[in-house]
Amino acid sequence: QLPRLCDCKRNRIIMYSQLVVALALAPVSGFVSKPALAPAAPQRAQTTQLQMRTSIIGGNWKMNPTSLAEAKELATAVKAAAATGPGEAIIFPPHPFLGPVGDIVAGSNLALGAQSCFFQDSGAYTGAVSASMVKSLGVTYVLAGHSERRTLFKDDDAAINQKVLKVIETGMIPVLCVGETKDEFDANLCESVCAIQLAKDLAEVPAEAVKKMVIAYEPVWAIGTGLVCPSDTAQKVHAFIRSKIASMYDQATADAVRIQYGGSVSPESVDELMAKPDIDGCLVGGASLKGDAFGRILNYE
């Protein structure tokens, strides 16, 4: 006959048994400490969303440089810098330089872009260049709605919409530029202006095409004026543009489209801009004409 345990020993055994059972049934995460650097779930979700959109930096040369020799030299320097950049890179030379510059960047990760094109295929349009012409030179991206085209050359939203549709039809990718003037910004009309431009310029553009295209937010008042659009302000506008695309199409389209910031981007401002969650790239003007400065922008940190 087994000896009878005293009440105190029996109680201790019962307690130990209950503790063993509790340990066996408890989730492991409750007893194993997490690594100090492990990200929380929301951060992982955000990282996944950002990784969906490859960053894209564009250099708009405008009516520069003044000779083919200079254009070739600049293209060679930018090509070398783009090789180490974290995302996609594009240069937009003037039309006369597209062929020679295209030969230099061919086969690299530096894409060739055109600053504009006309929405007609051919005909009596003196001075115009068709989408098929620039595509035949190796162009992948085409600017549409740049503020200088809107103001200096009177491109209206109807013409911009036709250009966007023609670029897509020809198998290239439009970079649609939207943004407000200083007066509109001071009157708190930034979101209204961007919403109207998006609605008109993307008329009849299907969601699948929007997912692949690029939208560039250009605060006109910050282009070549010395005025600076704070990164928090730029992020707010980018978030609005993404929400507008979601309302026009759906959230999947809004999450996929890449939105650049364009407005006196410099080596000093690019890192702060690119750290914002809705800024997927930059459209660079003056700084893209300097190989070292644009190289630093392409290799933002």
Side-chain angles (χ1 to χ4, degrees):
Q1 185 178 0
L2 293 175
R4 186 172 181 177
L5 298 173
C6 66
D7 289 342
C8 60
K9 288 185 179 179
R10 185 167 59 251
N11 289 340
R12 282 200 299 269
I13 291 174
I14 292 172
M15 286 173 53
Y16 293 152
S17 300
Q18 290 174 339
L19 179 60
V20 169
V21 171
L23 289 169
L25 295 178
V28 175
S29 60
F31 298 90
V32 179
S33 61
K34 297 180 182 179
L37 298 179
Q43 291 175 309
R44 286 197 297 268
Q46 183 183 41
T47 300
T48 301
Q49 183 178 354
L50 293 177
Q51 287 175 345
M52 286 170 52
R53 301 191 298 267
T54 303
S55 65
I56 185 165
I57 306 288
N60 179 16
W61 293 4
K62 305 188 179 184
M63 201 169 72
N64 300 289
T66 57
S67 70
L68 177 57
E70 292 174 290
K72 287 182 174 181
E73 182 180 357
L74 179 57
T76 301
V78 175
K79 175 184 175 181
T84 56
E88 287 186 50
I90 322 166
I91 49 175
F92 297 89
H95 286 147
F97 302 151
L98 282 174
V101 169
D103 291 339
I104 292 173
V105 304
S108 72
N109 62 342
L110 180 59
L112 185 66
Q115 296 180 19
S116 185
C117 69
F118 193 44
F119 52 79
Q120 295 290 354
D121 292 325
S122 62
Y125 305 103
T126 301
V129 175
S130 72
S132 60
M133 289 176 184
V134 297
K135 185 182 180 182
S136 70
L137 295 173
V139 166
T140 306
Y141 293 88
V142 181
L143 294 176
H146 191 280
S147 60
E148 290 155 4
R149 297 294 311 180
R150 291 179 187 265
T151 57
L152 298 177
F153 298 96
K154 309 305 178 186
D155 285 3
D156 59 19
D157 288 308
I160 293 165
N161 174 239
Q162 288 180 285
K163 184 184 300 186
V164 168
L165 291 169
K166 179 56 67 174
V167 169
I168 294 170
E169 178 189 317
T170 313
M172 296 179 292
I173 301 170
V175 179
L176 173 62
C177 304
V178 299
E180 79 286 356
T181 65
K182 184 67 165 63
D183 289 342
E184 291 166 338
F185 177 78
D186 290 339
N188 294 318
L189 295 174
C190 171
E191 293 183 357
S192 298
V193 170
C194 289
I196 291 171
Q197 290 175 342
L198 288 170
K200 291 183 176 182
D201 300 345
L202 293 177
E204 299 185 18
V205 177
E208 287 306 310
V210 174
K211 289 179 181 179
K212 298 174 184 177
M213 68 184 291
V214 179
I215 296 173
Y217 166 58
E218 296 183 298
V220 180
W221 50 272
I223 299 176
T225 62
L227 299 174
V228 177
C229 177
S231 60
D232 289 341
T233 301
Q235 161 58 26
K236 181 182 177 181
V237 180
H238 279 232
F240 169 77
I241 290 173
R242 203 174 300 283
S243 70
K244 178 63 179 177
I245 294 296
S247 67
M248 291 172 60
Y249 294 94
D250 52 46
Q251 192 59 50
T253 302
D255 288 340
V257 67
R258 292 181 290 179
I259 307 175
Q260 293 180 317
Y261 169 78
S264 299
V265 179
S266 68
E268 292 74 30
S269 64
V270 65
D271 295 340
E272 186 176 346
L273 286 166
M274 292 303 297
K276 300 300 181 182
D278 287 294
I279 298 180
D280 304 311
C282 296
L283 184 59
V284 187
S288 70
L289 300 174
K290 304 173 183 177
D292 54 348
F294 193 49
R296 171 62 182 84
I297 293 172
L298 289 173
N299 290 271
Y300 67 88
E301 298 175 357

